[in-house]
């Protein structure tokens, strides 16, 4: 796989902005709802260095990319939230969790709208600008949908824990320490095992791809890019 400096230049900025705004949104909403943990630690910030996890944000995606993995996977340093300090812990947990994916959808809409202004950009920078906007649009949609998978510690898992009745919420919440291992198994190991036995077990990636397509088409229609 040949990766040029141009490829890096049109992917890095959208990824960094998507991750940074996603994590900052969690901390901001938590602060507004009574928990100042992230605020006190300086995590309510648009400084990407505050949110980068050396392994999850840099090393793991790079290893998967160069290993020709069927699915690229990575994560940022989670924003610390003390749910007990929230004004209404069970309900506010849902709002804090939704803040990240909602911010990514807003960023995707902004990128799609900004695409209308590409003809105004000088010719020598138009392609680079357009590619950044296209990648920002796609990355933010994928990040929003991926994080809404109902597996703790992903945002969708925390939304489910906040909305489900207590008898169902407690067992789901207990999965959080093992959530990343479960994700790696579902997204990376299961498809590899499937290839060995001649079965297509890449179900999660397929579902994510279908949902991404629906959201992509809807946002393109809303922003007049069809």
């Amino acid at each position: 796989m040949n990766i040029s400096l141009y490829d890096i230049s049109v992917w890095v900025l959208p990824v960094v902005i998507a991750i940074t705004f996603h994590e900052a949104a969690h901390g901001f909403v938590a602060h507004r709802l009574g928990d100042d943990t992230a605020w006190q630690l300086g995590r309510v910030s648009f400084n990407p260095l505050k949110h980068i996890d050396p392994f999850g944000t840099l090393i793991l995606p790079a290893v998967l990319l160069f290993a020709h993995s069927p699915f690229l996977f990575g994560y940022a340093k989670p924003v610390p939230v003390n749910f007990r300090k929230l004004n209404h812990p069970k309900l506010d947990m849902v709002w804090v969790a939704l803040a990240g994916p909602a911010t990514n959808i807003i960023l995707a809409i902004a990128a799609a709208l900004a695409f209308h202004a590409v003809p105004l950009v000088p010719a020598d920078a138009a392609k680079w600008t357009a590619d950044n906007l296209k990648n920002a649009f796609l990355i933010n949609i994928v990040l929003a949908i991926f994080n809404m998978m109902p597996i703790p510690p992903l945002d969708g898992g925390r939304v489910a824990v906040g909305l489900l009745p207590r008898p169902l919420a407690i067992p789901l919440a207990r999965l959080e320490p093992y959530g990343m291992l479960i994700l790696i198994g579902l997204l990376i190991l299961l498809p590899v095992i499937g290839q060995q036995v001649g079965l297509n077990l890449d179900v999660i990636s397929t579902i994510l791809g279908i949902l991404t397509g629906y959201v992509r088409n809807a946002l393109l229609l809303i922003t007049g890019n069809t």
Side-chain angles (χ1 to χ4, degrees), residues 104-118 130 132-138 140-141 215-216 218-226:
N104 289 127
I105 293 299
I106 292 171
L107 288 173
I109 293 173
L113 290 172
F115 201 80
H116 291 295
V118 170
N132 266 279
L133 291 174
K134 288 178 185 177
N135 292 338
F137 178 70
L138 179 60
N140 278 286
I141 292 174
V215 175
R216 172 184 173 276
L219 294 187
L220 287 175
L221 179 63
I222 291 170
T223 57
N225 282 285
T226 54

Side-chain angles (χ1 to χ4, degrees), residues 102-184:
T103 297
N104 289 127
I105 293 299
I106 292 171
L107 288 173
I109 293 173
L113 290 172
F115 201 80
H116 291 295
V118 170
L120 304 177
V121 177
D124 56 350
K127 185 179 186 306
W128 184 85
T129 302
D131 286 342
N132 266 279
L133 291 174
K134 288 178 185 177
N135 292 338
F137 178 70
L138 179 60
I139 287 167
N140 278 286
I141 292 174
V142 171
L143 191 60
I145 293 175
F146 177 79
N147 273 282
M148 285 307 295
M149 289 176 62
I151 302 173
L154 294 181
D155 301 324
R158 288 178 173 169
V159 169
V161 169
L163 294 179
L164 286 172
R166 186 177 178 84
L168 296 176
I170 291 177
L172 182 60
R174 287 175 179 164
L175 290 178
E176 182 154 341
Y178 316 103
M180 299 311 294
L181 292 177
I182 294 172
L183 282 171
I184 291 173

Side-chain angles (χ1 to χ4, degrees), residues 64-84:
L64 295 176
L65 180 64
F66 288 106
H68 304 282
S69 169
F71 192 93
L72 292 182
F73 173 65
Y75 54 88
K77 188 188 302 179
V79 166
V81 178
N82 185 344
F83 294 108
R84 294 179 182 177

Side-chain angles (χ1 to χ4, degrees), residues 36-47 50-51:
D36 63 352
T37 304
W39 186 276
Q40 294 293 334
L41 293 173
R43 294 297 304 281
V44 185
S45 170
F46 292 131
N47 178 0
K50 297 281 188 179
H51 306 291

